[in-house]
């Protein structure tokens, strides 16, 4: 690690006043600190620019990743924390530790970095702000810290002003910046094209608040002309607003843009307090971005003493049939009716309500037969007639089943088959109503044997004016995690803020949506390259409940009115269980369809949901992703590969296997004639013996892919 504290020495001894003076005498960038990554490839420079403006710069193998970029915050009704600073102290520390996640892609995670903590004082206000930088081999994390102090207690954030000045007009994989949703298709373009493409990119959603013609979301994936892969996101979003990025498309500078609240304020803080980490992952190999554990490393270790109740889960669900429009969540067809005026014991059922006892039992039987852990049931509770598209404070109570859903009998039946039922709480965006009912809803779950809940926040947030990604709502999601943990409940949050590695601290957060999931294949479709991008964007923050496994790719087979189709071959649907890492994986299609393709379903039955090791074999964002993972506690591996609309031939080098061992590989692949649109169900299954010396060429059809189970010693 290099050090250049020389110009700071007088400051330490004589105090802030002299530093302030020195700043003017020494001129720009006189106060500089440098810290390198453990392998020396990344260099972080911190300096105070003219006028005491805190500035950082990041290079990778001598190339600019982030050019000199300024730091700080603007406050409401108080002087900014952006300039007039002097360095009071600096401290460096080198850390090399390892830890084991409760569940994950690998068994052990190395947390290896060099840290620089710079304490800054603002002479004119006598306020102190600390910037902590951690430089890992795979990137940089930094955050603001505000110690308790006489002149900075409670304060309101007007805007965070963290810059990421890029070295060029990079290729970007971006989503429109929005305070309420990430359910957009990713646009791949140069940064200079963002403005021109923004309007078309901002497709409709049940709740959306785009904020700027050049605003984009994180995780933002970038690729420079000279082949640097750069990912910008945040880690440990706690008691703070979610950050988007505002692009200055002349100078290619991204600046933090926080989600406001109903008043337009961006955060309410009180010392001592912290910002989330701002993260920049960088490499000249795309696969390194996918293997990075930087975001997890920057989160706090869990305080949960007992985690034995947290279990990676594979599930089916009474779900896709409603998404496609074959069945309904609601018990009746009474539309636009006030919930408290419905007497469910008297009204006529619509005959399409899927969450009925007999039908749920069919799913339980299927799960039991195929060794799946659980069945999600949506539309089990009253209120579905009276919520969508309305701003209503109180709809769902989360404890009252429809008359045809026998909670007790289903609990008994599922238990007898060794299957769990996953609870569903659609909050209708009414955070206030959900918090009021949370305790009784979780007690109800405990009483009836549920240990996991899928939450949802469709529509605008209530109280009115709050956004899905504001500090207040962020605090709600984290409150739900804490309360759920008290009840030993796992949480899969849909429409909640995108994850930032918080599952390290709250390992009961086993899934999130926060992107365009498979459901959009029934709402017009996802791009064929969608699943070659998501691992580089959305998944950098944590696992996604993407809900793969659709074998009947024509939605009209379930609902003749719906002409959408899944933009993927069947074989690629299998690959997603490996490429889209999650400890929670759904087999999203209907049992009646799986029963017609049981040879292919075998992969879903076999694939693990928890891993000891993971290796990215091939990757290029927007083009292809091939990953191999070793199933937890076994010697078995699973390989998945997903490619874009062009198709390709992939080369798999099995050197990740134990030398000298023989394995049986079962390859589930696209047939030569397969095509995501024209011939999605054409697949072939073949078996072969492989060893660590095997190299295999494998064809992927347009919008296709393959999945391989590699079983040891058979
Ligand atoms: C949106 C969720 O993403 C989806 O999975 C769920 O079925 C619906 N909301 C209904 O709550
Ligand atoms: Ca959704």
């Amino acid at each position: 690690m290099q050090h250049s504290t020389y110009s700071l020495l007088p400051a330490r001894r004589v105090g802030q006043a002299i530093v302030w003076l020195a700043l003017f005498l020494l001129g720009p960038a006189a106060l500089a600190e440098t810290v390198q990554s453990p392998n020396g490839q990344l260099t972080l420079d911190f300096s105070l620019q003219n006028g005491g403006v805190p500035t950082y710069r990041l290079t990778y193998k001598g190339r600019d990743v982030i050019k000199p970029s300024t730091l700080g915050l603007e406050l409401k009704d108080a002087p900014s924390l952006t300039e007039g600073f002097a360095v009071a102290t600096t401290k460096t520390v080198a850390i090399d530790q390892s830890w084991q996640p409760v569940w994950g892609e690998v068994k052990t995670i190395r947390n290896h970095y060099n840290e620089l903590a710079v304490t800054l004082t603002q002479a004119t206000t006598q306020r102190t702000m600390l910037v902590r930088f951690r430089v890992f081999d795979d990137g940089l994390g930094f955050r603001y810290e505000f110690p308790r102090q006489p002149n900075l207690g409670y304060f309101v954030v007007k805007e965070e002003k963290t810059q990421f000045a890029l070295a060029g007009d990079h290729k970007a994989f971006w989503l429109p910046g929005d305070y309420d949703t990430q359910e957009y298709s990713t646009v791949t373009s140069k940064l200079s094209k963002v403005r021109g493409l923004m309007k078309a990119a901002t497709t409709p959603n049940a709740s959306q608040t785009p904020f700027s013609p050049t605003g984009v979301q994180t995780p933002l994936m970038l690729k420079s002309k000279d082949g640097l892969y750069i990912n910008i996101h945040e880690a440990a979003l706690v008691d703070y607003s979610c950050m988007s990025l505002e692009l200055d498309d002349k100078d290619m500078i991204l600046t933090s843009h926080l989600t406001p609240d109903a008043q337009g304020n961006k955060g309410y803080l009180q010392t001592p307090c912290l910002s989330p980490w701002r993260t920049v992952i960088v490499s000249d190999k795309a696969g390194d971005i996918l293997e990075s554990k930087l975001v997890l490393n920057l989160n706090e270790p869990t305080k949960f003493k007992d985690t034995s109740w947290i279990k990676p889960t594979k599930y089916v669900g009474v779900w896709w049939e409603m998404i496609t429009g074959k069945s309904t969540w609601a018990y009746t067809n009474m539309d636009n009716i006030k919930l408290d005026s419905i007497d469910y014991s008297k009204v006529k059922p619509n005959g399409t309500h899927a969450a009925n006892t007999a039908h749920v039992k069919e799913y339980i039987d299927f799960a039991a037969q195929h060794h799946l852990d659980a069945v999600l049931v949506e539309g089990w509770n009253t209120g579905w007639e009276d919520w969508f598209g309305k701003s209503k404070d109180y709809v769902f109570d989360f404890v009252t089943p429809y008359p045809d859903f026998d909670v007790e009998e289903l609990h008994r039946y599922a238990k007898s088959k060794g299957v769990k039922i996953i609870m569903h709480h659609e909050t209708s965006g009414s955070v206030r109503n959900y918090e009021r009912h949370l305790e009784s809803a979780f007690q109800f779950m405990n009483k009836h044997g549920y240990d996991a809940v899928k939450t949802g926040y469709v529509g605008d947030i209530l109280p009115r004016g709050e956004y899905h990604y504001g500090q207040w709502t962020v605090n709600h999601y984290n409150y739900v995690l804490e309360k759920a943990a008290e009840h030993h409940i796992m949480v899969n949050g849909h429409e909640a803020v995108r994850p930032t590695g918080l599952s390290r601290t709250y390992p009961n957060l086993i899934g999130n949506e926060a992107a365009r999931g498979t459901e959009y294949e029934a709402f017009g479709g996802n791009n064929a390259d969608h699943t070659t991008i998501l691992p580089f964007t959305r998944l950098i923050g944590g696992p996604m409940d993407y809900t793969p496994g659709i074998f009947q790719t024509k939605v009209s087979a379930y609902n003749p009115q719906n002409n959408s189709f899944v933009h993927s071959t069947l074989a690629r649907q299998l690959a997603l269980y490996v490429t889209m890492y999650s400890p929670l994986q759904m087999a999203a299609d209907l049992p009646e369809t799986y029963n017609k393709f049981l040879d292919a379903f075998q992969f879903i039955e076999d694939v693990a949901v928890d891993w000891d090791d993971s290796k990215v074999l091939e990757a290029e964002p927007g083009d292809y992703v091939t990953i191999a993972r070793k199933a937890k506690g076994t010697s078995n591996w699973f390989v998945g590969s997903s490619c874009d609309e062009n198709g390709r031939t992939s080369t798999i080098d099995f050197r990740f296997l134990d030398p000298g061992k023989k394995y049986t590989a079962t390859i589930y692949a696209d047939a030569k004639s397969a095509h995501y649109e024209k011939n999605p169900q054409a697949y072939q299954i073949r078996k072969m013996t492989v060893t660590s010396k095997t190299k295999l060429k494998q064809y992927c059809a347009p919008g296709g892919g393959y999945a391989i189970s590699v079983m040891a010693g058979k």
Side-chain angles (χ1 to χ4, degrees):
M1 196 187 321
Q2 283 178 20
H3 240 188
S4 55
T5 41
Y6 133 85
S7 54
L8 298 171
L9 292 175
R12 288 205 184 118
R13 296 200 191 112
V14 194
Q16 296 146 356
I18 292 190
V19 174
W20 187 232
L21 189 72
L23 190 70
F24 286 105
L25 297 177
L26 296 172
L31 301 166
E33 282 280 332
T34 294
V35 63
Q36 291 196 322
S37 59
N39 67 5
Q41 291 182 347
L42 274 94
T43 303
L44 177 275
D45 291 305
F46 174 85
S47 62
L48 282 177
Q49 296 294 323
N50 225 351
V53 177
T55 303
Y56 75 105
R57 175 186 176 198
L58 181 69
T59 60
Y60 172 80
K61 296 184 181 171
R63 286 138 78 182
D64 265 324
V65 179
I66 305 291
K67 297 199 299 182
S69 295
T70 57
L71 296 163
L73 288 97
E74 285 174 352
L75 307 191
K76 195 182 175 200
D77 303 328
S80 288
L81 289 164
T82 52
E83 59 185 358
F85 282 109
V87 173
T89 61
T90 64
K91 216 172 137 187
T92 56
V93 56
I95 297 290
D96 189 1
Q97 305 160 329
S98 289
W99 59 282
Q100 300 206 321
V102 174
W103 42 260
E105 294 175 89
V106 294
K107 191 174 179 184
T108 304
I109 293 176
R110 188 172 179 193
N111 185 25
H112 190 198
Y113 60 84
N114 292 324
E115 176 177 292
L116 166 69
V118 187
T119 302
L120 300 162
T121 40
Q122 200 175 35
T124 50
T125 64
Q126 286 298 304
R127 293 178 303 179
T128 296
M129 175 174 90
L130 190 150
V131 188
R132 191 179 300 278
F133 297 95
R134 289 186 180 165
V135 191
F136 301 77
D137 288 344
D138 50 350
L140 166 72
F142 62 92
R143 72 176 176 198
Y144 302 97
E145 300 184 11
F146 308 94
R148 187 173 146 79
Q149 53 194 290
N151 291 342
L152 188 64
Y154 173 82
F155 60 101
V156 179
V157 178
K158 196 164 142 202
E159 188 59 279
E160 182 185 317
K161 290 286 185 187
T162 303
Q163 286 187 344
F164 304 85
L166 303 171
D169 183 8
H170 300 331
K171 178 178 179 181
F173 300 85
W174 59 274
L175 303 179
D178 196 297
Y179 300 151
D180 281 300
T181 186
Q182 312 229 165
E183 294 180 4
Y184 291 118
S185 292
T186 307
V187 184
T188 305
S189 79
K190 292 234 172 161
L191 286 165
S192 55
K193 304 282 185 221
V194 168
R195 185 185 294 274
L197 294 168
M198 184 59 78
K199 217 171 147 205
T202 313
T203 47
N205 193 276
S207 174
Q208 63 188 148
T209 312
F211 61 83
S212 153
T214 55
V216 294
Q217 310 215 19
T218 79
L220 176 67
M221 187 66 212
L222 301 162
K223 186 183 181 187
S224 72
K225 252 196 223 107
D226 59 348
L228 278 193
Y229 298 88
I230 304 165
N231 184 286
I232 302 176
H233 189 39
E234 65 179 304
L237 176 59
V238 176
D239 198 14
Y240 205 87
S241 292
C242 165
M243 177 182 75
S244 293
L245 298 168
E246 179 67 83
L247 169 71
D248 164 353
D249 52 359
K250 271 203 210 83
D251 296 326
M252 299 306 152
I253 299 173
L254 298 159
T255 305
S256 53
H257 178 107
L258 301 180
T259 309
D261 71 350
Q263 319 282 321
N265 297 323
K266 303 234 163 159
Y268 301 81
L269 302 182
Q270 188 167 15
T271 58
C273 55
L274 310 165
S275 77
W277 295 92
R278 278 58 188 103
T279 61
V280 183
I281 305 173
V282 59
S283 178
D284 48 16
K285 285 216 306 286
D288 289 350
I289 306 291
L290 303 183
E291 286 184 358
S292 172
K293 299 290 171 285
L294 183 146
V295 168
L296 279 177
N297 273 325
L298 289 169
N299 276 270
E300 292 301 311
T302 186
K303 292 198 183 79
F304 296 180
K305 293 210 174 65
D306 171 20
T307 54
S308 60
W309 50 277
I310 300 170
K311 295 194 179 74
T313 299
K314 217 187 299 175
Y315 72 104
V316 280
V318 180
W319 178 74
W320 184 242
E321 54 183 286
M322 285 92 92
I323 292 287
T324 55
K326 177 187 186 340
S327 321
T328 57
W329 283 272
Y331 176 69
T332 77
N333 284 341
M334 293 189 294
D335 225 7
N336 214 1
I337 180 152
K338 216 168 159 187
L339 180 63
D340 44 21
S341 60
I342 309 176
D343 179 350
Y344 281 110
S345 65
K346 298 222 170 80
V347 295
K348 197 170 135 265
N350 58 12
T352 54
H353 178 232
N356 64 75
T357 307
H359 194 47
V360 174
K361 282 186 177 176
E362 290 167 14
Y363 278 82
I364 294 172
D365 290 342
F366 182 83
Q369 248 163 42
H370 296 283
H371 309 103
L372 305 177
D373 306 294
V375 177
L376 164 76
V377 185
E378 295 198 7
W380 68 277
N381 58 330
T382 57
W384 289 84
E385 285 84 355
D386 186 29
W387 75 288
F388 190 75
K390 301 187 188 106
S391 177
K392 276 194 69 164
D393 207 29
Y394 184 175
V395 182
F396 296 107
D397 70 6
F398 314 98
V399 294
T400 309
Y402 279 131
D404 58 348
F405 184 86
D406 187 336
V407 182
E408 259 316 295
E409 169 57 13
L410 283 167
H411 179 197
R412 185 201 63 75
Y413 190 77
K415 200 170 169 195
S416 76
K417 300 262 171 168
V419 171
K420 286 278 179 185
I421 305 183
I422 299 178
M423 173 51 77
H424 183 232
H425 291 163
E426 173 52 64
T427 68
S428 65
S430 185
V431 170
R432 185 178 105 131
N433 181 51
Y434 191 37
E435 286 195 2
R436 282 181 175 176
H437 289 89
L438 202 57
E439 180 57 31
S440 57
F442 285 165
Q443 279 179 17
F444 180 90
M445 285 179 60
N446 285 156
K447 183 172 167 211
H448 298 291
Y450 293 82
D451 65 1
V453 61
K454 170 179 172 179
T455 59
Y457 296 84
V458 171
D460 289 342
I461 295 290
L462 278 128
R464 293 180 188 96
E466 294 299 332
Y467 300 109
H468 283 76
Y469 303 159
Q471 180 189 23
W472 184 85
T473 324
V474 163
N475 287 349
H476 162 76
Y477 306 129
N478 294 347
Y479 174 74
V480 170
L481 291 176
E482 275 174 16
K483 286 285 149 200
E486 287 170 17
H487 290 269
H488 286 191
I489 287 170
M490 300 179 274
V491 179
N492 166 25
H494 278 227
E495 292 89 36
V497 72
R498 79 278 187 284
T500 56
L502 268 184
S503 62
R504 181 177 182 191
T505 314
Y506 299 109
N508 61 328
L509 177 58
I510 52 164
N512 268 123
E513 185 189 39
R516 244 173 120 91
T518 296
E519 64 182 6
Y520 278 86
E521 300 282 20
F523 311 154
N526 286 331
N527 296 333
D529 66 358
H530 191 52
T531 54
T532 67
I533 298 172
L534 285 175
F536 289 94
T537 52
R538 167 62 183 74
L539 298 195
I540 295 298
M544 177 174 178
D545 183 32
Y546 187 71
T547 70
I550 304 299
F551 286 6
Q552 177 46 269
T553 59
K554 279 200 191 80
V555 175
S556 58
Y558 297 137
N559 172 9
Q561 326 291 352
N562 188 335
N563 288 320
S564 294
F565 69 95
V566 181
H567 291 54
S568 161
T569 65
L570 189 153
R572 194 249 284 246
Q573 287 293 304
L574 300 178
L576 301 180
Y577 291 88
V578 184
T579 60
M580 298 282 291
Y581 166 68
S582 176
L584 180 74
Q585 288 284 14
M586 184 175 204
D589 213 330
L590 276 47
E592 65 186 55
T593 294
Y594 287 141
N595 283 329
K596 292 183 200 145
F597 296 94
L598 283 175
D599 59 349
F601 190 78
Q602 190 62 44
F603 182 82
I604 299 182
E605 193 168 331
D606 292 341
V607 71
V609 280
D610 200 13
W611 311 96
D612 277 340
D613 201 3
S614 292
K615 305 242 182 264
V616 178
L617 305 182
E618 307 170 309
E620 179 61 30
D623 295 346
Y624 54 86
V625 173
T626 308
I627 300 181
R629 302 191 195 274
K630 189 178 187 200
K632 184 126 227 142
T634 77
S635 301
N636 300 332
W637 287 77
F638 293 84
V639 180
S641 183
S642 170
C643 79
D644 67 7
E645 64 284 358
N646 299 316
R648 65 190 287 270
T649 296
S650 160
T651 305
I652 314 149
D653 183 337
F654 284 90
R655 67 169 171 217
F656 54 84
L657 297 176
D658 283 349
K661 250 195 199 162
K662 278 191 177 165
Y663 299 77
T664 302
T666 308
I667 304 167
Y668 304 76
D670 295 322
K672 260 281 163 239
S673 62
H675 184 278
Y676 74 97
E677 191 175 354
K678 294 179 211 132
N679 196 14
Q681 289 176 332
Y683 63 93
Q684 292 170 341
I685 301 175
R686 63 187 206 278
K687 279 191 195 291
M688 63 185 277
T689 300
V690 296
T691 69
S692 64
K693 298 221 171 77
T694 307
K695 292 192 180 50
L696 183 71
K697 284 205 182 309
Q698 183 57 57
Y699 173 69
C700 305
Y706 58 85
I708 312 178
S709 61
V710 189
M711 305 302 208
K714 279 188 200 158

